[in-house]
């Protein structure tokens, strides 16, 4: 027993030292401190144990090892949530004119503006609030930083430079292709050039906006003849996001909009080279709702904050899509209940949202579909106040931790057992804090 006890304690010490080291590499001081503190407690326990007499050793050793085995077994049994609520699927097409960015483009006094609010009088009072604020990347915004805002602006302008590639004419004859071979090639190449995950789905009507809401085609019906959609995610840098809602957050999101646009164009051009039609969908130029496509392509589930929760990085991703008539092999979108179950108990994003835009409640039926929905107007008003796209909810999400062995073991545990999910949430709150502070974090950019 003495040997088993000592072995177990040494394992714990090593485990917490490795965890502490990993947290230090991740520049997470608080969880690193907790890990080293736990390893110290176990070292003290081991020293104390050596002073016990043999009867105390047997009593304490059996007690400790027995408790450990009991807890370990409890945590690995795949307990599922008996009260699980499965979110519904919105199959009604969404009008892009109702998206906050489209509403932001309406200029007061114009015919478009008057027409929109005549049809949507309920939205006028809400939108007046964000119009009173300085605006995204504004000099008067509360998180204004001259260089960081200017660099984000530069990123967005570079994305605009990609627009001529959206609708190029085909110059090639259709090549004979093997759908499986070319699907695998596209996925593997996309990962090679920066994507974290890639999936393919059949393009469905509800993926597409019913009516265009931005740019010169405002108000026109959205016509799309493609059959397939390739969705992919790119990672947003954790260190930058950890400073949300400071300027670093919008620097990083704009950077990843740029990276994802680049990959989308590369894929579209590649497909056109095979003689098939392809359309990249990237920031400011979407004909469809990327997260909905990505979900159907098997890349994740929707969480409480309304974003796609990917298995690798939770919501800490940006998504772009390429639609095409190239015959492809689609991926499964097997429903992952553990994400919804974890979101039901976690609520960390709701707790940390500066505007209370994220619901604390269970999923509700909204327009006949069971789901969570955030208050987009409150969120967007905050963006126009700070001048950044905030991202605090993404920063604090337990699924957004780095994609490494330590965090992936926790993700696996959550997927396996609802009880483990509850335990992991307590640990996350203890190690990172329920409301993680940014004040000791330094920007990786000067
Ligand atoms: S913070 Fe928690 S509740 Fe919010 S999306 Fe992430 S896991 Fe779900
Ligand atoms: S981005 Fe910020 S304001 Fe918007 S929902 Fe997330 S935490 Fe709230």
């Amino acid at each position: 027993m003495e040997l088993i006890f000592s072995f177990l304690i040494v394992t714990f010490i090593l485990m917490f030292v490795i965890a502490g080291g990993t947290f230090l590499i991740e520049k997470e001081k608080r969880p690193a401190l907790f890990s080293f503190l736990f390893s110290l407690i176990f070292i003290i326990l081991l020293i104390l144990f050596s002073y016990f007499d043999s009867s105390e050793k047997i009593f304490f050793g059996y007690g400790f090892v027995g408790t450990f085995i009991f807890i370990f077994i409890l945590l690995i049994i795949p307990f599922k949530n008996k009260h699980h609520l499965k979110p519904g699927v919105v199959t009604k097409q969404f009008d892009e004119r109702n998206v906050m960015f489209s509403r932001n483009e309406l200029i007061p006094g114009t015919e478009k503006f008057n027409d929109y609010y005549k049809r949507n009088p309920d939205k006028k009072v809400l939108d007046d609030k964000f119009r009173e604020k300085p605006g995204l990347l504004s000099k008067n915004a509360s998180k204004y930083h001259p260089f960081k805002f200017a660099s984000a602006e530069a990123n967005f302008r570079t994305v605009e430079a990609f627009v001529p590639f959206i609708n190029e004419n085909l110059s090639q004859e259709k090549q004979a292709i093997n759908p499986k071979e070319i699907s695998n090639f596209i996925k593997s190449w996309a990962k090679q050039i920066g994507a974290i995950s890639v999936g393919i789905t059949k393009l469905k009507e509800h993926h597409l906006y019913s009516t265009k809401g931005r740019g010169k085609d405002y108000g026109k019906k959205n016509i799309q003849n493609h059959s397939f959609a390739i969705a992919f995610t790119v990672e947003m840098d954790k260190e930058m996001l950890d400073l949300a809602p400071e300027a670093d957050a919008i620097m990083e999101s704009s950077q990843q909009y740029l990276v994802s646009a680049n990959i989308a164009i590369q894929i579209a051009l590649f497909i056109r080279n095979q003689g098939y039609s392809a359309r990249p969908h990237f920031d400011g130029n979407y004909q469809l709702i990327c997260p909905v496509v990505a979900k159907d392509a098997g890349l994740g589930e929707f969480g409480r904050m309304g974003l796609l929760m990917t298995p690798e990085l939770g919501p800490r991703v940006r998504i772009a899509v390429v639609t095409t008539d190239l015959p492809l092999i689609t991926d499964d979108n097997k429903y992952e209940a553990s994400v919804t179950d974890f979101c039901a108990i976690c609520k960390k994003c709701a707790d940390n949202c500066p505007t209370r835009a994220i619901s604390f409640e269970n999923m509700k039926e909204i327009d006949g579909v069971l789901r969570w929905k955030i208050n987009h107007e409150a969120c967007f008003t905050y963006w126009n106040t700070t001048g950044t796209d905030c991202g605090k909810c993404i920063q604090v999400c337990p699924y957004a931790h780095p994609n490494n062995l330590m965090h992936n073991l926790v993700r696996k545990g959550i997927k396996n057992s609802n009880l483990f999910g509850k335990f992991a949430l307590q640990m996350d709150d203890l190690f990172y804090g329920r409301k993680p502070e940014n004040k000791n974090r330094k920007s990786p950019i000067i």
Side-chain angles (χ1 to χ4, degrees), residues 303-305 309 315 342-343 346-350 393 396-399:
R304 180 180 290 275
M305 67 173 85
M309 309 283 284
F342 190 77
C343 277
C346 169
K347 305 178 186 177
K348 210 162 176 174
C349 49
C393 45
V396 300
C397 179
Y399 277 102

Side-chain angles (χ1 to χ4, degrees), residues 353-355 358 379 382-383 390-393:
C353 173
T355 58
I358 302 171
C379 173
Y382 186 69
W383 289 16
C390 180
K392 189 72 193 173
C393 45

Side-chain angles (χ1 to χ4, degrees), residues 146-214:
F147 294 157
K148 292 179 183 178
F149 272 33
S151 66
E153 182 86 50
N155 289 343
F156 285 124
R157 285 189 57 198
T158 314
V159 175
E160 280 170 27
F162 290 147
V163 169
F165 291 101
I166 292 176
N167 289 312
E168 271 187 335
N169 288 329
L170 285 172
S171 54
Q172 292 269 345
E173 287 280 299
K174 273 196 168 83
Q175 306 291 307
I177 55 108
N178 174 327
K180 191 168 177 213
E181 209 181 329
I182 203 153
S183 301
N184 289 340
F185 178 85
I186 290 171
K187 285 188 200 170
S188 132
W189 180 45
K191 286 186 183 169
Q192 173 66 21
I193 57 179
I196 295 294
S197 56
V198 192
I200 298 171
T201 178
K202 279 218 164 188
L203 189 63
K204 301 181 187 100
E205 195 177 49
H206 71 270
H207 293 158
L208 298 164
Y209 289 121
S210 57
T211 310
K212 294 176 201 271
R214 299 179 75 177

Side-chain angles (χ1 to χ4, degrees), residues 4-22:
I4 298 173
F5 176 83
S6 305
F7 174 77
L8 209 54
I9 295 289
V10 171
T11 308
F12 278 132
I13 294 168
L14 285 176
M15 213 174 72
F16 280 112
V17 168
I18 293 169
T22 310

Side-chain angles (χ1 to χ4, degrees), residues 219-377:
K220 287 191 183 158
K221 289 284 159 219
N222 209 356
I223 313 285
Q224 247 289 1
N225 298 321
H226 290 157
S227 323
F228 293 95
I230 304 154
F232 61 87
T233 61
V234 293
E235 178 173 6
M236 285 201 281
D237 182 77
K238 188 175 177 306
E239 254 186 286
M240 296 286 276
L241 250 285
D242 276 347
L243 291 148
E246 299 298 324
D248 303 69
I250 195 158
M251 263 184 90
E252 182 55 19
S253 58
S254 59
Q255 176 63 30
Q256 297 316 322
Y257 280 127
L258 177 53
V259 170
S260 53
N262 202 345
I263 298 172
I265 285 160
Q266 284 174 273
I267 295 173
L269 294 185
F270 163 79
I271 294 173
R272 287 173 195 159
N273 283 344
Q274 311 302 312
Y276 293 85
S277 162
R279 203 259 190 212
H281 301 258
F282 54 84
D283 179 57
N285 295 286
Y286 304 109
Q287 283 185 337
L288 41 70
I289 309 166
C290 288
V292 177
V293 180
K295 186 203 171 320
D296 283 351
L299 301 189
E301 296 295 337
F302 285 109
R304 180 180 290 275
M305 67 173 85
L307 298 179
L308 190 81
M309 309 283 284
T310 63
E312 303 85 3
L313 298 163
R316 194 165 48 84
V317 294
R318 291 286 119 167
I319 307 165
V321 167
V322 178
T323 51
T324 180
D325 63 355
L326 174 76
L328 294 167
I329 303 293
T330 58
D331 290 289
D332 284 347
N333 69 332
K334 199 168 160 278
Y335 171 61
E336 183 46 62
S338 62
V339 174
T340 322
D341 284 339
F342 190 77
C343 277
I345 56 163
C346 169
K347 305 178 186 177
K348 210 162 176 174
C349 49
D351 250 336
N352 283 275
C353 173
T355 58
R356 291 283 186 254
I358 302 171
S359 167
F360 282 91
E361 293 173 20
N362 278 341
M363 279 186 282
K364 283 201 293 215
E365 239 183 68
I366 302 166
D367 301 328
V369 178
L370 191 67
R371 59 188 164 130
W372 280 296
K373 187 174 185 276
I374 76 156
N375 182 338
H376 291 284
E377 286 84 5

